[in-house]
Amino acid sequence: GMLLASGYARLPHMIRSYEFLNLEGRKFSTSRNWGINSDEALEFFPADYWRYYLASILPEHSDSDFSLQEFQKAVNSDLNDTLGNLCHRCLTFAKNNYGGNAPQPLPEGEWSEGDQKFAQAIRGTPDKVAALMHEYKLQQALREAMELARKANKAFNDGEPWKNVKGSDAGKAQAATTVYLCLNALHSLAIMLHPFTPASCEKISKFLACKGATEEGWKTAAEMAVAPGAKLNLENLAPVFTKIEDSQVQALREKLEARTKK
């Protein structure tokens, strides 16, 4: 009724509601000073860290709990060790072995069975994530995207480009194919994960010299958009994420507890 009275032209066609979110097993409370405000949250950790974990525990069907220990675990394991590790090892390898360019892979008809399955995952995951997003299934969309990051890390490990690049011509060709596919997985991930971790994904897209999560960019998420020979932007290559230390979590916990005693 308020929107109609305001003259706002576009009314919502669907309203998605959630259950309650607690903090360390307790309800948020202004009277008891129990909670984390957005401004002070950013004093401790980047916005993308908070966004990622909050999206992963959305109380879609029942109440959920924000645990500082699980927050640290999710950031360190998922963002740093999975996505961040894939990004840094793949881009560093391209910088050191291919002059900062995307390598020339084998013709697709000569790809191994593992490479073909990995390519299918790269091409198929964006449509799955988009469909889940349109259905407001944000947790599932996030998990689906992160699963591609895990597959990419496995493909990099299984492909052993650090070993093959020093071997025969066949080995070098396989190394190039592995890195090429992982670069394209990174491109897809930077687009699919942008709604959850926008600042980090924009860094990845910049490293890849790709459009990122624009409307045009989404159309390329299911394609091998990082073409062979493409010049990457790796002059200022640096880790996208850093781990949360125990001391940082303890400092935040102490601040929260101190407030409730005032």
Side-chain angles (χ1 to χ4, degrees), residues 168-194:
S168 62
D169 288 345
K172 291 176 181 178
Q174 179 57 56
T177 302
T178 299
V179 174
Y180 166 78
L181 288 171
C182 286
L183 287 172
N184 278 284
L186 274 175
H187 165 70
S188 293
L189 287 163
I191 293 173
M192 292 187 292
L193 290 172
H194 189 274

PDB file of all heavy atoms in Angstrom, residues 168-194:
ATOM      1  N   SER A 168      58.073 -33.548 -22.113  1.00  0.00           N
ATOM      2  CA  SER A 168      58.024 -33.702 -23.567  1.00  0.00           C
ATOM      3  C   SER A 168      57.065 -32.686 -24.167  1.00  0.00           C
ATOM      4  O   SER A 168      56.360 -31.953 -23.468  1.00  0.00           O
ATOM      5  CB  SER A 168      57.546 -35.122 -23.918  1.00  0.00           C
ATOM      6  OG  SER A 168      56.227 -35.321 -23.423  1.00  0.00           O
ATOM      7  N   ASP A 169      57.020 -32.679 -25.500  1.00  0.00           N
ATOM      8  CA  ASP A 169      56.076 -31.778 -26.178  1.00  0.00           C
ATOM      9  C   ASP A 169      54.636 -32.122 -25.798  1.00  0.00           C
ATOM     10  O   ASP A 169      53.802 -31.222 -25.624  1.00  0.00           O
ATOM     11  CB  ASP A 169      56.253 -31.889 -27.699  1.00  0.00           C
ATOM     12  CG  ASP A 169      57.550 -31.252 -28.178  1.00  0.00           C
ATOM     13  OD1 ASP A 169      58.152 -30.480 -27.392  1.00  0.00           O
ATOM     14  OD2 ASP A 169      57.960 -31.534 -29.316  1.00  0.00           O
ATOM     15  N   ALA A 170      54.350 -33.407 -25.667  1.00  0.00           N
ATOM     16  CA  ALA A 170      53.011 -33.830 -25.267  1.00  0.00           C
ATOM     17  C   ALA A 170      52.687 -33.343 -23.855  1.00  0.00           C
ATOM     18  O   ALA A 170      51.568 -32.895 -23.572  1.00  0.00           O
ATOM     19  CB  ALA A 170      52.882 -35.343 -25.335  1.00  0.00           C
ATOM     20  N   GLY A 171      53.690 -33.408 -22.981  1.00  0.00           N
ATOM     21  CA  GLY A 171      53.495 -32.937 -21.614  1.00  0.00           C
ATOM     22  C   GLY A 171      53.265 -31.441 -21.566  1.00  0.00           C
ATOM     23  O   GLY A 171      52.410 -30.953 -20.823  1.00  0.00           O
ATOM     24  N   LYS A 172      54.023 -30.713 -22.373  1.00  0.00           N
ATOM     25  CA  LYS A 172      53.856 -29.254 -22.414  1.00  0.00           C
ATOM     26  C   LYS A 172      52.478 -28.875 -22.947  1.00  0.00           C
ATOM     27  O   LYS A 172      51.864 -27.915 -22.470  1.00  0.00           O
ATOM     28  CB  LYS A 172      54.960 -28.637 -23.277  1.00  0.00           C
ATOM     29  CG  LYS A 172      56.355 -28.738 -22.661  1.00  0.00           C
ATOM     30  CD  LYS A 172      57.415 -28.194 -23.597  1.00  0.00           C
ATOM     31  CE  LYS A 172      58.803 -28.315 -22.968  1.00  0.00           C
ATOM     32  NZ  LYS A 172      59.875 -27.844 -23.881  1.00  0.00           N
ATOM     33  N   ALA A 173      52.013 -29.628 -23.932  1.00  0.00           N
ATOM     34  CA  ALA A 173      50.684 -29.360 -24.487  1.00  0.00           C
ATOM     35  C   ALA A 173      49.605 -29.631 -23.446  1.00  0.00           C
ATOM     36  O   ALA A 173      48.611 -28.905 -23.350  1.00  0.00           O
ATOM     37  CB  ALA A 173      50.451 -30.215 -25.726  1.00  0.00           C
ATOM     38  N   GLN A 174      49.815 -30.680 -22.646  1.00  0.00           N
ATOM     39  CA  GLN A 174      48.844 -30.991 -21.592  1.00  0.00           C
ATOM     40  C   GLN A 174      48.862 -29.915 -20.511  1.00  0.00           C
ATOM     41  O   GLN A 174      47.817 -29.521 -19.993  1.00  0.00           O
ATOM     42  CB  GLN A 174      49.153 -32.357 -20.980  1.00  0.00           C
ATOM     43  CG  GLN A 174      48.199 -32.751 -19.856  1.00  0.00           C
ATOM     44  CD  GLN A 174      46.750 -32.758 -20.291  1.00  0.00           C
ATOM     45  OE1 GLN A 174      46.384 -33.429 -21.249  1.00  0.00           O
ATOM     46  NE2 GLN A 174      45.904 -31.986 -19.592  1.00  0.00           N
ATOM     47  N   ALA A 175      50.060 -29.440 -20.169  1.00  0.00           N
ATOM     48  CA  ALA A 175      50.168 -28.366 -19.167  1.00  0.00           C
ATOM     49  C   ALA A 175      49.418 -27.127 -19.646  1.00  0.00           C
ATOM     50  O   ALA A 175      48.685 -26.491 -18.869  1.00  0.00           O
ATOM     51  CB  ALA A 175      51.638 -28.033 -18.918  1.00  0.00           C
ATOM     52  N   ALA A 176      49.582 -26.775 -20.897  1.00  0.00           N
ATOM     53  CA  ALA A 176      48.903 -25.607 -21.462  1.00  0.00           C
ATOM     54  C   ALA A 176      47.391 -25.784 -21.421  1.00  0.00           C
ATOM     55  O   ALA A 176      46.646 -24.835 -21.114  1.00  0.00           O
ATOM     56  CB  ALA A 176      49.374 -25.365 -22.892  1.00  0.00           C
ATOM     57  N   THR A 177      46.929 -26.998 -21.705  1.00  0.00           N
ATOM     58  CA  THR A 177      45.489 -27.274 -21.688  1.00  0.00           C
ATOM     59  C   THR A 177      44.929 -27.143 -20.276  1.00  0.00           C
ATOM     60  O   THR A 177      43.865 -26.556 -20.063  1.00  0.00           O
ATOM     61  CB  THR A 177      45.204 -28.681 -22.242  1.00  0.00           C
ATOM     62  OG1 THR A 177      45.732 -28.776 -23.571  1.00  0.00           O
ATOM     63  CG2 THR A 177      43.719 -28.979 -22.259  1.00  0.00           C
ATOM     64  N   THR A 178      45.653 -27.674 -19.307  1.00  0.00           N
ATOM     65  CA  THR A 178      45.218 -27.583 -17.906  1.00  0.00           C
ATOM     66  C   THR A 178      45.083 -26.134 -17.468  1.00  0.00           C
ATOM     67  O   THR A 178      44.071 -25.733 -16.883  1.00  0.00           O
ATOM     68  CB  THR A 178      46.212 -28.306 -16.986  1.00  0.00           C
ATOM     69  OG1 THR A 178      46.271 -29.696 -17.338  1.00  0.00           O
ATOM     70  CG2 THR A 178      45.814 -28.172 -15.526  1.00  0.00           C
ATOM     71  N   VAL A 179      46.095 -25.328 -17.752  1.00  0.00           N
ATOM     72  CA  VAL A 179      46.079 -23.927 -17.329  1.00  0.00           C
ATOM     73  C   VAL A 179      44.994 -23.148 -18.072  1.00  0.00           C
ATOM     74  O   VAL A 179      44.292 -22.315 -17.488  1.00  0.00           O
ATOM     75  CB  VAL A 179      47.466 -23.289 -17.544  1.00  0.00           C
ATOM     76  CG1 VAL A 179      47.440 -21.789 -17.242  1.00  0.00           C
ATOM     77  CG2 VAL A 179      48.506 -23.982 -16.662  1.00  0.00           C
ATOM     78  N   TYR A 180      44.855 -23.428 -19.352  1.00  0.00           N
ATOM     79  CA  TYR A 180      43.821 -22.763 -20.157  1.00  0.00           C
ATOM     80  C   TYR A 180      42.432 -23.012 -19.573  1.00  0.00           C
ATOM     81  O   TYR A 180      41.622 -22.083 -19.425  1.00  0.00           O
ATOM     82  CB  TYR A 180      43.903 -23.286 -21.586  1.00  0.00           C
ATOM     83  CG  TYR A 180      42.715 -22.961 -22.466  1.00  0.00           C
ATOM     84  CD1 TYR A 180      42.558 -21.694 -23.029  1.00  0.00           C
ATOM     85  CD2 TYR A 180      41.739 -23.923 -22.738  1.00  0.00           C
ATOM     86  CE1 TYR A 180      41.462 -21.403 -23.840  1.00  0.00           C
ATOM     87  CE2 TYR A 180      40.651 -23.642 -23.554  1.00  0.00           C
ATOM     88  CZ  TYR A 180      40.513 -22.378 -24.088  1.00  0.00           C
ATOM     89  OH  TYR A 180      39.430 -22.086 -24.888  1.00  0.00           O
ATOM     90  N   LEU A 181      42.143 -24.253 -19.230  1.00  0.00           N
ATOM     91  CA  LEU A 181      40.833 -24.578 -18.677  1.00  0.00           C
ATOM     92  C   LEU A 181      40.641 -23.938 -17.307  1.00  0.00           C
ATOM     93  O   LEU A 181      39.548 -23.437 -16.983  1.00  0.00           O
ATOM     94  CB  LEU A 181      40.668 -26.093 -18.585  1.00  0.00           C
ATOM     95  CG  LEU A 181      40.478 -26.823 -19.916  1.00  0.00           C
ATOM     96  CD1 LEU A 181      40.538 -28.336 -19.715  1.00  0.00           C
ATOM     97  CD2 LEU A 181      39.139 -26.434 -20.555  1.00  0.00           C
ATOM     98  N   CYS A 182      41.674 -23.931 -16.496  1.00  0.00           N
ATOM     99  CA  CYS A 182      41.558 -23.323 -15.159  1.00  0.00           C
ATOM    100  C   CYS A 182      41.367 -21.812 -15.247  1.00  0.00           C
ATOM    101  O   CYS A 182      40.637 -21.221 -14.438  1.00  0.00           O
ATOM    102  CB  CYS A 182      42.787 -23.668 -14.324  1.00  0.00           C
ATOM    103  SG  CYS A 182      42.817 -25.388 -13.744  1.00  0.00           S
ATOM    104  N   LEU A 183      42.002 -21.170 -16.207  1.00  0.00           N
ATOM    105  CA  LEU A 183      41.797 -19.736 -16.402  1.00  0.00           C
ATOM    106  C   LEU A 183      40.340 -19.459 -16.769  1.00  0.00           C
ATOM    107  O   LEU A 183      39.735 -18.487 -16.285  1.00  0.00           O
ATOM    108  CB  LEU A 183      42.725 -19.209 -17.500  1.00  0.00           C
ATOM    109  CG  LEU A 183      44.206 -19.098 -17.152  1.00  0.00           C
ATOM    110  CD1 LEU A 183      45.016 -18.747 -18.408  1.00  0.00           C
ATOM    111  CD2 LEU A 183      44.440 -18.041 -16.068  1.00  0.00           C
ATOM    112  N   ASN A 184      39.769 -20.298 -17.596  1.00  0.00           N
ATOM    113  CA  ASN A 184      38.374 -20.106 -17.985  1.00  0.00           C
ATOM    114  C   ASN A 184      37.419 -20.442 -16.841  1.00  0.00           C
ATOM    115  O   ASN A 184      36.343 -19.835 -16.736  1.00  0.00           O
ATOM    116  CB  ASN A 184      38.055 -20.918 -19.235  1.00  0.00           C
ATOM    117  CG  ASN A 184      38.492 -20.204 -20.502  1.00  0.00           C
ATOM    118  OD1 ASN A 184      37.847 -19.259 -20.940  1.00  0.00           O
ATOM    119  ND2 ASN A 184      39.627 -20.621 -21.059  1.00  0.00           N
ATOM    120  N   ALA A 185      37.794 -21.384 -15.993  1.00  0.00           N
ATOM    121  CA  ALA A 185      36.993 -21.650 -14.794  1.00  0.00           C
ATOM    122  C   ALA A 185      37.007 -20.429 -13.886  1.00  0.00           C
ATOM    123  O   ALA A 185      35.971 -20.049 -13.319  1.00  0.00           O
ATOM    124  CB  ALA A 185      37.539 -22.873 -14.057  1.00  0.00           C
ATOM    125  N   LEU A 186      38.154 -19.784 -13.752  1.00  0.00           N
ATOM    126  CA  LEU A 186      38.260 -18.562 -12.954  1.00  0.00           C
ATOM    127  C   LEU A 186      37.365 -17.460 -13.512  1.00  0.00           C
ATOM    128  O   LEU A 186      36.722 -16.716 -12.761  1.00  0.00           O
ATOM    129  CB  LEU A 186      39.713 -18.079 -12.910  1.00  0.00           C
ATOM    130  CG  LEU A 186      40.616 -18.673 -11.846  1.00  0.00           C
ATOM    131  CD1 LEU A 186      42.046 -18.169 -12.038  1.00  0.00           C
ATOM    132  CD2 LEU A 186      40.121 -18.318 -10.437  1.00  0.00           C
ATOM    133  N   HIS A 187      37.333 -17.353 -14.834  1.00  0.00           N
ATOM    134  CA  HIS A 187      36.465 -16.353 -15.467  1.00  0.00           C
ATOM    135  C   HIS A 187      35.007 -16.604 -15.097  1.00  0.00           C
ATOM    136  O   HIS A 187      34.285 -15.670 -14.713  1.00  0.00           O
ATOM    137  CB  HIS A 187      36.642 -16.414 -16.983  1.00  0.00           C
ATOM    138  CG  HIS A 187      35.564 -15.715 -17.745  1.00  0.00           C
ATOM    139  ND1 HIS A 187      35.434 -14.350 -17.762  1.00  0.00           N
ATOM    140  CD2 HIS A 187      34.550 -16.205 -18.500  1.00  0.00           C
ATOM    141  CE1 HIS A 187      34.382 -14.017 -18.505  1.00  0.00           C
ATOM    142  NE2 HIS A 187      33.836 -15.124 -18.957  1.00  0.00           N
ATOM    143  N   SER A 188      34.571 -17.843 -15.200  1.00  0.00           N
ATOM    144  CA  SER A 188      33.192 -18.182 -14.850  1.00  0.00           C
ATOM    145  C   SER A 188      32.923 -17.926 -13.373  1.00  0.00           C
ATOM    146  O   SER A 188      31.866 -17.396 -12.999  1.00  0.00           O
ATOM    147  CB  SER A 188      32.908 -19.648 -15.180  1.00  0.00           C
ATOM    148  OG  SER A 188      32.931 -19.870 -16.579  1.00  0.00           O
ATOM    149  N   LEU A 189      33.863 -18.288 -12.527  1.00  0.00           N
ATOM    150  CA  LEU A 189      33.698 -18.102 -11.084  1.00  0.00           C
ATOM    151  C   LEU A 189      33.610 -16.629 -10.709  1.00  0.00           C
ATOM    152  O   LEU A 189      32.818 -16.243  -9.839  1.00  0.00           O
ATOM    153  CB  LEU A 189      34.866 -18.763 -10.341  1.00  0.00           C
ATOM    154  CG  LEU A 189      34.841 -20.287 -10.307  1.00  0.00           C
ATOM    155  CD1 LEU A 189      36.200 -20.846  -9.926  1.00  0.00           C
ATOM    156  CD2 LEU A 189      33.769 -20.781  -9.334  1.00  0.00           C
ATOM    157  N   ALA A 190      34.411 -15.796 -11.367  1.00  0.00           N
ATOM    158  CA  ALA A 190      34.389 -14.363 -11.065  1.00  0.00           C
ATOM    159  C   ALA A 190      33.032 -13.748 -11.377  1.00  0.00           C
ATOM    160  O   ALA A 190      32.608 -12.772 -10.744  1.00  0.00           O
ATOM    161  CB  ALA A 190      35.485 -13.646 -11.854  1.00  0.00           C
ATOM    162  N   ILE A 191      32.336 -14.315 -12.340  1.00  0.00           N
ATOM    163  CA  ILE A 191      30.994 -13.823 -12.698  1.00  0.00           C
ATOM    164  C   ILE A 191      29.936 -14.419 -11.765  1.00  0.00           C
ATOM    165  O   ILE A 191      29.099 -13.701 -11.214  1.00  0.00           O
ATOM    166  CB  ILE A 191      30.684 -14.167 -14.159  1.00  0.00           C
ATOM    167  CG1 ILE A 191      31.608 -13.370 -15.088  1.00  0.00           C
ATOM    168  CG2 ILE A 191      29.222 -13.880 -14.488  1.00  0.00           C
ATOM    169  CD1 ILE A 191      31.518 -13.755 -16.548  1.00  0.00           C
ATOM    170  N   MET A 192      29.976 -15.727 -11.550  1.00  0.00           N
ATOM    171  CA  MET A 192      28.955 -16.378 -10.739  1.00  0.00           C
ATOM    172  C   MET A 192      29.002 -15.961  -9.276  1.00  0.00           C
ATOM    173  O   MET A 192      27.968 -15.872  -8.609  1.00  0.00           O
ATOM    174  CB  MET A 192      29.104 -17.899 -10.836  1.00  0.00           C
ATOM    175  CG  MET A 192      28.787 -18.472 -12.207  1.00  0.00           C
ATOM    176  SD  MET A 192      28.796 -20.278 -12.205  1.00  0.00           S
ATOM    177  CE  MET A 192      30.542 -20.623 -11.928  1.00  0.00           C
ATOM    178  N   LEU A 193      30.196 -15.706  -8.763  1.00  0.00           N
ATOM    179  CA  LEU A 193      30.338 -15.363  -7.348  1.00  0.00           C
ATOM    180  C   LEU A 193      30.259 -13.860  -7.091  1.00  0.00           C
ATOM    181  O   LEU A 193      30.302 -13.435  -5.940  1.00  0.00           O
ATOM    182  CB  LEU A 193      31.672 -15.911  -6.813  1.00  0.00           C
ATOM    183  CG  LEU A 193      31.753 -17.431  -6.695  1.00  0.00           C
ATOM    184  CD1 LEU A 193      33.173 -17.860  -6.359  1.00  0.00           C
ATOM    185  CD2 LEU A 193      30.776 -17.946  -5.628  1.00  0.00           C
ATOM    186  N   HIS A 194      30.135 -13.072  -8.154  1.00  0.00           N
ATOM    187  CA  HIS A 194      30.096 -11.617  -7.986  1.00  0.00           C
ATOM    188  C   HIS A 194      28.968 -11.155  -7.068  1.00  0.00           C
ATOM    189  O   HIS A 194      29.168 -10.234  -6.262  1.00  0.00           O
ATOM    190  CB  HIS A 194      29.997 -10.930  -9.348  1.00  0.00           C
ATOM    191  CG  HIS A 194      30.175  -9.448  -9.281  1.00  0.00           C
ATOM    192  ND1 HIS A 194      29.121  -8.591  -9.023  1.00  0.00           N
ATOM    193  CD2 HIS A 194      31.273  -8.670  -9.419  1.00  0.00           C
ATOM    194  CE1 HIS A 194      29.564  -7.343  -9.013  1.00  0.00           C
ATOM    195  NE2 HIS A 194      30.863  -7.366  -9.250  1.00  0.00           N
TER     196      HIS A 194
END
